[in-house]
Amino acid sequence: MLLTPNEWLHPSFGKFLFAGCDILAGLLMYELLVSVILPTSPRADARTQAEDAKDSRAGEDARQRLATFLVSLHLLSPLVFTISTRGSSESVLSLFVLATLYYALKGRWDLSAVLLGLSTHWKIYPFIYGVTCLGVIGSTGSAAGRGWLGTVVNGRTIRFALVSAGTFIALGVGMYAM
């Protein structure tokens, strides 16, 4: 369904779409690296505010350069761009999985659940990320400290599972109907 425009728009539509998904995935990777993954430097001693501001700017610049390097290393890998430009939809899946991770780390669990359902509809293996999401959802908030059963089974985790499974099932029924 995604590649239908190949017939009526341009024969290489899918290749452009997949390459665009690679670029969007790279932007998400960059944002995740800068905002969540790359550590900040700890303050070792008492300094003046001017020194702290200068070190903070230098640390931020270093984080941005490292994130740019890492994302470039991924996007300019011959394997990545060859797979996308030859017509494989793996870039779409990686975009969905990265978006699931991004919104989960931002605490937007309903959107993350929808994206997990979409990712699992695309290919089944992203299902395993749902278990991790359930563990994180359950370990935060009112369910924290109630043992492993309270962590896995509570209102928030049930909602996440239902939204994700509902998205997966709705997409499956919709595609079957076509």
Side-chain angles (χ1 to χ4, degrees):
M1 290 306 300
L2 189 64
L3 296 179
T4 304
N6 275 2
E7 294 296 320
W8 50 268
L9 188 62
H10 192 275
S12 295
F13 172 81
K15 295 178 182 187
F16 291 116
L17 176 71
F18 299 148
C21 285
D22 268 337
I23 292 170
L24 289 174
L27 291 172
L28 269 176
M29 284 182 229
Y30 178 83
E31 181 62 31
L32 284 168
L33 283 166
V34 169
S35 65
V36 179
I37 297 170
L38 293 177
T40 59
S41 59
R43 305 280 189 254
D45 54 20
R47 300 176 186 170
T48 66
Q49 285 183 343
E51 288 173 337
D52 280 345
K54 182 180 177 183
D55 286 347
S56 176
R57 281 191 301 270
E60 183 67 23
D61 288 344
R63 256 194 322 279
Q64 289 175 349
R65 281 194 307 272
L66 180 58
T68 301
F69 172 73
L70 293 172
V71 170
S72 298
L73 195 64
H74 170 75
L75 289 177
L76 297 175
S77 165
L79 184 65
V80 172
F81 65 75
T82 301
I83 287 173
S84 294
T85 57
R86 295 195 96 188
S88 175
S89 66
E90 288 300 312
S91 61
V92 177
L93 180 62
S94 61
L95 177 63
F96 291 158
V97 170
L98 283 168
T100 302
L101 175 64
Y102 178 78
Y103 287 112
L105 289 172
K106 297 294 181 184
R108 305 215 24 220
W109 293 109
D110 287 341
L111 184 53
S112 182
V114 168
L115 287 165
L116 179 65
L118 181 62
S119 300
T120 305
H121 172 75
W122 199 265
K123 282 197 176 178
I124 197 70
Y125 79 83
F127 172 77
I128 62 173
Y129 303 130
V131 177
T132 305
C133 289
L134 292 177
V136 172
I137 294 169
S139 66
T140 59
S142 62
R146 288 197 286 160
W148 71 269
L149 189 59
T151 300
V152 175
V153 181
N154 60 59
R156 292 167 37 146
T157 58
I158 291 171
R159 178 185 173 110
F160 182 85
L162 288 175
V163 170
S164 183
T167 303
F168 175 76
I169 290 168
L171 286 168
V173 167
M175 292 297 124
Y176 181 76
M178 288 185 198

